[in-house]
Amino acid sequence: MAAQVLERMDVGAPQGGKKKLIRRSAPDRSQRIRHVAQVIFLVLNGWIAAQFYLWVRYFERGGHGLQVSRPTGVEGWLPIAGLMNTVYFLRTGSIPAIHAAAMFLFLAFVLMSLALKKAFCSWLCPVGTLSEALWKLGRKLFARNLRMPRWLDLPLRGLKYLLLAFFLFIIGTMSAEALQSFMVTPYGIIADVKMLNFFRDIGESAAIVIAILVFGSILLKNFWCRYLCPYGALMGLVSLLSPMKIRRDPEACIDCAKCAKACPADLAVDRLMQIRSAECAACMECVAACPAENALQFSLRPKRAAASSERWRRRVVGPAVFAGILAYIFLGMVLFARATSHWRTTIPQSVYMDLVPRANSVTHPGM
Ligand code: SF4
Ligand code: SF4
């Protein structure tokens, strides 16, 4: 009953006196497993980028040199196409012919957010991984990371939601015909090549912006993800529907505040009963930092029971199971798209031979 009452409260009651620490019996493995997942996804994306570059070079050389197939996984880098195709699919019930993989990958990441909060950001996204590496480098160099004052931090966090609202408004108000017409334009077909060229022929202003982002990411934790990424904003909003959350048991907790100190999103983990925030990326840094047995878990709503261990029984998702669920959703979606022949975009070679070499002169149809 006590657990039920506390579960309904947002903030744990202050405890009188110092509580006895019952140390965790098993060492935490969450960060090791998460870092392995991050490295696997980083390597996968590096491999996709290298193969895509070779594929583009083949057409730029007029069909000479090494010929490789187009790595469809590159469409994971086309979130706008993924969103457009999803809206098209919702409106028509038909799977689009161009960049369907962008839609399947987008849906896989949305499903992950429904199941495991914003896990995509802290377990898989290569930008999130690089961001994390940069702020950890900053902490090593300067012994700490900067913290924005709260009055500035909150409105800045809102920027990513504004960017998301902008994209949702533009795409959400397009008709199915308009969405399809956009996708079959030269710009839509080679959106991935345009993206590669953006980084290959980077202009002075874009280079300055990227340098500012890198510098900001060294000083502040997850600078890009925290303030500017509309994709993360969407995953965060979807994650509000997830039944899984970081949950604290105030009876086992000794109020040491190590969890809050470890949280890259600066959430008050030590004072809340559960973390509902759209900013929680399910990184489990808080769980890893917690010294007390059964005090902090990534879990479903706990059971009503007198003993702390009983309350969590069959409710907790450990890091290995967590990684397994992510792999299941990701591979399941890719295999489903492959099995139903919707994975690859089939465009005749002659079209690519025409468009890829002159990609820089192909402009957005709205311009
Ligand atoms: S609350 Fe825990 S899981 Fe969520 S972002 Fe903070 S440290 Fe990561
Ligand atoms: S790390 Fe957080 S949840 Fe764990 S004992 Fe300390 S205050 Fe409680």
Side-chain angles (χ1 to χ4, degrees):
M1 187 62 186
Q4 193 189 359
V5 172
L6 286 166
E7 178 63 31
R8 280 199 224 109
M9 294 165 65
D10 256 353
V11 180
Q15 309 292 318
K18 209 169 174 208
K19 286 198 260 170
K20 188 170 180 287
L21 167 65
I22 299 174
R23 285 206 175 275
R24 290 166 67 160
S25 51
D28 182 86
R29 293 186 303 145
S30 65
Q31 297 314 295
R32 190 172 297 173
I33 293 176
R34 185 170 71 87
H35 294 325
V36 169
Q38 285 179 310
V39 169
I40 290 174
F41 233 67
L42 202 57
V43 170
L44 177 66
N45 276 278
W47 172 71
I48 287 171
Q51 188 173 336
F52 185 65
Y53 175 76
L54 291 175
W55 179 82
V56 168
R57 290 298 292 149
Y58 174 79
F59 292 104
E60 286 177 342
R61 290 190 185 119
H64 295 105
L66 182 63
Q67 186 177 14
V68 296
S69 59
R70 177 177 173 275
T72 309
V74 76
E75 293 184 18
W77 288 89
L78 301 177
I80 306 276
L83 181 59
M84 290 175 86
N85 280 342
T86 303
V87 173
Y88 177 82
F89 173 67
L90 292 175
R91 294 240 168 93
T92 64
S94 311
I95 294 174
I98 311 237
H99 302 322
M103 179 186 84
F104 283 108
L105 290 170
F106 173 77
L107 289 177
F109 301 143
V110 167
L111 268 181
M112 287 173 189
S113 303
L114 272 177
L116 300 171
K117 298 282 293 176
K118 222 166 56 164
F120 168 73
C121 302
S122 64
W123 286 67
L124 303 180
C125 176
V127 180
T129 301
L130 294 177
S131 239
E132 185 178 335
L134 286 173
W135 71 255
K136 285 186 173 166
L137 172 72
R139 191 173 60 183
K140 239 183 207 151
L141 291 177
F142 309 115
R144 60 190 285 263
N145 296 106
L146 289 184
R147 277 178 93 159
M148 284 277 182
R150 207 164 165 71
W151 62 265
L152 186 57
D153 184 54
L154 282 178
L156 285 180
R157 283 185 190 219
L159 282 177
K160 61 180 182 290
Y161 297 105
L162 283 180
L163 286 168
L164 173 66
F166 170 76
F167 287 120
L168 288 180
F169 175 75
I170 300 283
I171 295 169
T173 52
M174 286 172 82
S175 66
E177 293 73 34
L179 290 165
Q180 192 181 29
S181 317
F182 176 86
M183 244 0 125
V184 297
T185 58
Y187 188 95
I189 291 172
I190 55 159
D192 42 13
V193 182
K194 297 280 297 177
M195 184 185 54
L196 176 72
N197 287 356
F198 171 81
F199 288 104
R200 277 201 301 177
D201 316 321
I202 199 154
E204 199 178 315
S205 9
I208 291 172
V209 170
I210 290 177
I212 292 172
L213 288 176
V214 169
F215 189 62
S217 302
I218 292 174
L219 297 182
L220 290 138
K221 288 180 182 173
N222 296 328
F223 181 62
W224 164 260
C225 315
R226 190 179 179 111
Y227 298 129
L228 295 167
C229 179
Y231 206 55
L234 178 62
M235 296 303 146
L237 292 180
V238 173
S239 80
L240 294 174
L241 302 173
S242 174
M244 305 297 306
K245 289 179 179 42
I246 292 289
R247 290 189 159 94
R248 189 174 64 94
D249 184 336
E251 284 178 31
C253 170
I254 56 157
D255 305 311
C256 66
K258 286 186 177 170
C259 48
K261 204 169 160 223
C263 176
D266 297 323
L267 299 170
V269 194
D270 59 329
R271 285 184 284 125
L272 297 169
M273 298 295 298
Q274 55 181 353
I275 303 295
R276 292 198 187 98
S277 170
E279 302 288 324
C280 174
C283 64
M284 295 209 205
E285 294 253 16
C286 53
V287 178
C290 177
E293 180 83 356
N294 292 323
L296 200 63
Q297 311 277 12
F298 186 70
S299 71
L300 291 167
R301 188 181 281 264
K303 289 182 199 166
R304 296 174 207 172
S308 179
S309 55
E310 270 305 307
R311 290 199 280 273
W312 295 123
R313 189 193 280 273
R314 291 168 168 260
R315 290 289 193 270
V316 174
V317 171
V321 175
F322 193 115
I325 297 173
L326 289 181
Y328 182 79
I329 295 174
F330 179 70
L331 295 175
M333 194 60 93
V334 172
L335 291 176
F336 173 78
R338 276 178 178 270
T340 54
S341 306
H342 290 302
W343 180 243
R344 284 191 180 280
T345 296
T346 29
I347 301 279
Q349 294 273 84
S350 56
V351 174
Y352 286 132
M353 199 59 87
D354 170 39
L355 293 179
V356 174
R358 60 182 184 89
N360 284 343
S361 63
V362 172
T363 51
H364 193 282
M367 293 173 115

